[in-house]
Amino acid sequence: PQGVRDTALLCLQELVAGQPGFFRDFAEVVASKLFDLYRGCNQAERHTASMVDRTVERLLGSIEPGRAIEILVPVINTEGAPLLQMATRILSRMLQRVPQDEVFGHLDSALPGVVAAFSNPHPDVRKAAVFCLVDVYMTLGEKAMPYLMKDLTPSQLRLVTIYISRQQKEREEEDAQPPSAA
């Protein structure tokens, strides 16, 4: 059954990539079923969990980012690891696809779950939360600080600002690189 499930996931990935319009009317239902499958994967089924992860990411990448965020927020606000980690990581990518002014509209619903994930006992969940908060800052700049300051503890805020500084330095270094000749 695992081989059949993995093949079905691969087919679903290809269908999402090739015919994304098929999922417009029921992306929430498909995402919900994929979340259920992911939730049911054990340690021995890491390959299947990875395939589900890629499928969810492709599915949510094929719809409007705001709608994808609305699908992810309830998962982030209610789930534990490892589904929380996956949803937080994908939320980070979706927020990067949304115009800056729309990101503000999602902060009140998305940030509480991400901030709560920052205190999760699983280090991978905490790491995903930190990177998501850094991405929020990188998208909004200093306008994000009031949101971060009101919800994070001083030590959490310090950690996030360290990662923000690293990200800014990496971007500056990338921008300073001369374009490669092709």
Side-chain angles (χ1 to χ4, degrees):
Q2 186 171 349
V4 172
R5 185 173 36 189
D6 289 353
T7 303
L9 285 166
L10 193 55
C11 289
L12 188 57
Q13 285 178 24
E14 293 301 317
L15 191 58
V16 169
Q19 298 292 328
F22 286 175
F23 297 92
R24 268 194 204 100
D25 293 336
F26 54 94
E28 292 82 358
V29 174
V30 176
S32 173
K33 296 300 180 186
L34 289 167
F35 293 148
D36 289 344
L37 179 57
Y38 192 89
R39 200 180 290 115
C41 288
N42 60 37
Q43 279 297 102
E45 298 172 315
R46 276 182 278 171
H47 178 71
T48 299
S50 176
M51 290 187 72
V52 172
D53 186 323
R54 279 192 303 276
T55 306
V56 169
E57 193 161 352
R58 279 192 182 174
L59 173 68
L60 297 181
S62 74
I63 61 175
E64 302 80 30
R67 185 170 165 207
I69 292 167
E70 290 171 8
I71 292 170
L72 290 167
V73 166
V75 175
I76 291 168
N77 288 330
T78 60
E79 291 291 336
L83 184 53
L84 174 58
Q85 174 191 353
M86 176 186 72
T88 304
R89 187 181 45 72
I90 295 173
L91 173 68
S92 188
R93 291 211 176 102
M94 293 301 121
L95 286 170
Q96 292 172 18
R97 291 180 47 212
V98 175
Q100 191 180 64
D101 59 323
E102 283 184 42
V103 172
F104 283 109
H106 295 290
L107 289 183
D108 287 333
S109 62
L111 273 190
V114 175
V115 169
F118 202 146
S119 301
N120 192 283
H122 297 274
D124 290 336
V125 172
R126 291 193 305 267
K127 183 177 173 184
V130 169
F131 288 145
C132 185
L133 294 171
V134 169
D135 287 337
V136 167
Y137 180 87
M138 296 307 286
T139 300
L140 300 177
E142 284 298 315
K143 297 176 198 167
M145 288 311 286
Y147 291 93
L148 300 178
M149 290 172 65
K150 89 174 176 179
D151 292 328
L152 297 175
T153 67
S155 61
Q156 288 174 327
L157 185 59
R158 197 166 28 257
L159 181 62
V160 170
T161 55
I162 288 169
Y163 277 95
I164 288 169
S165 296
R166 285 183 187 172
Q167 183 80 15
Q168 288 172 328
K169 185 177 178 186
E170 285 177 20
R171 285 194 181 174
E172 287 169 8
E173 289 172 0
E174 286 174 8
D175 291 344
Q177 295 287 327
S180 60

